Amino acid sequence: MIDFHCHLDLYPDPHSVLREIVRRGCSVLAVTTTPLAIDGTKRLIGSAPHVRVGLGLHPELVATRAREVERFCELVESADFVGEIGLDGSPPHKASLALQRDVFRTILQRTALLGGRVMSVHSRGAAREVLEDLGRFGGASTAVLHWFSGSLRELECANESGCWFSVGPSMLKTEKGRNLAGHMPADRVLTETDGPFTRVGNSPLFPWDVADAEATLGRLWSVDESEARARVRENLRSLMKRGALERRGNGRSSA
Ligand code: MN
């Protein structure tokens, strides 16, 4: 099972979650919300197999932590993955959108200079702006749009510009979410939870709860759950190949 967007460091007991991830053989991208969390998250993960860490600066934190973009730019060269980054234009964060865009563009440009990275990207309430900035400043990086909630037209733009997507149980619970997922290219879709911020009842979602998303994807793709899981695994394999090329700088654009 694959959880390509999980805040592993923010669970109340991350060590026990990690043990269970390893026991079940899940592949996880542990995204961070601030570059200051990268060292602690790496220590937490240690040598756990198939658990990778993303260097992030969450758009919801930019209003108070914009200056951490400098630290991000220092650390990104040695980061294999980037995330969570992006823009949030929803009412509580709209006021900082201009600042968020400065930070996002700085991150994209610095990452593009290094050849690019696979990036887990937040776009709530700002899909159009995210796609614009990725198009102008994203270079050869591969953006995985996490929990995409834009319009079908915006989804089409994202498809055309080569974006990937990660979808989870919370997104797929809604009719809109399922409709969007049904329009995503099936060879560029991964599963995620966004745990522990997503919940079922009183419990946060755990990486293995992507099983629920696999079942829904199976219905959307008219295949059974195990075939859906196999396809997502194949997608991750092909994304990792792209990521390895980008990290070696082969994706470096001339711009
Ligand atoms: Mn998140």
Side-chain angles (χ1 to χ4, degrees):
M1 283 185 272
I2 290 155
D3 184 353
F4 205 71
H5 184 109
C6 170
H7 298 270
L8 182 60
D9 58 327
L10 300 179
Y11 282 94
D13 184 358
H15 290 279
S16 76
V17 179
L18 182 68
R19 275 194 299 277
E20 192 60 14
I21 285 169
V22 172
R23 195 184 71 79
R24 292 176 184 248
C26 302
S27 296
V28 171
L29 178 66
V31 294
T32 54
T33 57
T34 147
L36 305 184
I38 198 84
D39 288 336
T41 307
K42 278 185 182 163
R43 269 198 306 277
L44 164 70
I45 292 169
S47 57
H50 313 299
V51 183
R52 297 148 177 119
V53 59
L55 176 70
L57 181 47
H58 198 294
E60 291 177 10
L61 301 184
V62 163
T64 54
R65 290 173 171 261
R67 74 180 69 138
E68 289 178 22
V69 71
E70 287 172 27
R71 191 77 186 115
F72 182 101
C73 288
E74 290 164 13
L75 291 169
V76 67
E77 186 158 12
S78 60
D80 289 339
F81 297 88
V82 166
E84 178 169 6
I85 58 165
L87 301 174
D88 192 306
S90 67
H93 303 288
K94 217 183 167 77
S96 67
L97 194 55
L99 182 60
Q100 290 179 44
R101 281 193 99 165
D102 283 348
V103 166
F104 186 48
R105 289 171 175 180
T106 301
I107 287 174
L108 292 177
Q109 286 174 304
R110 169 78 181 133
T111 307
L113 270 176
L114 298 168
R117 292 291 184 276
V118 171
M119 315 184 291
S120 186
V121 181
H122 175 113
S123 59
R124 180 172 54 208
R128 183 178 55 79
E129 291 87 345
V130 162
L131 292 170
E132 271 174 26
D133 288 350
L134 285 173
R136 287 174 61 194
F137 306 105
S141 290
T142 303
V144 182
L145 300 178
H146 120 81
W147 199 334
F148 185 80
S149 58
S151 65
L152 273 179
R153 176 71 198 113
E154 287 161 341
L155 177 66
E156 210 177 293
C157 293
N159 285 347
E160 282 164 12
S161 55
C163 290
W164 286 59
F165 303 90
S166 58
V167 303
S170 305
M171 170 181 173
L172 296 173
K173 244 186 351 216
T174 69
E175 178 71 39
K176 183 189 174 186
R178 286 191 299 274
N179 188 38
L180 286 166
H183 285 83
M184 291 170 183
D187 59 352
R188 280 190 257 144
V189 172
L190 299 171
T191 46
E192 65 159 50
T193 61
D194 204 12
F197 298 120
T198 48
R199 315 183 75 81
V200 262
N202 281 326
S203 166
L205 284 181
F206 294 103
W208 47 93
D209 291 321
V210 296
D212 213 58
E214 292 168 347
T216 307
L217 286 174
R219 285 195 292 280
L220 291 170
W221 295 340
S222 306
V223 298
D224 66 25
E225 202 175 326
S226 63
E227 172 64 20
R229 178 177 297 182
R231 287 190 187 185
V232 171
R233 181 151 294 282
E234 193 45 50
N235 291 348
L236 180 66
R237 228 172 264 136
S238 94
L239 183 66
M240 289 299 158
K241 273 187 215 151
R242 291 176 69 101
L245 287 177
E246 286 162 4
R247 286 198 297 279
R248 287 205 300 270
N250 294 5
R252 200 184 304 262
S253 61
S254 51

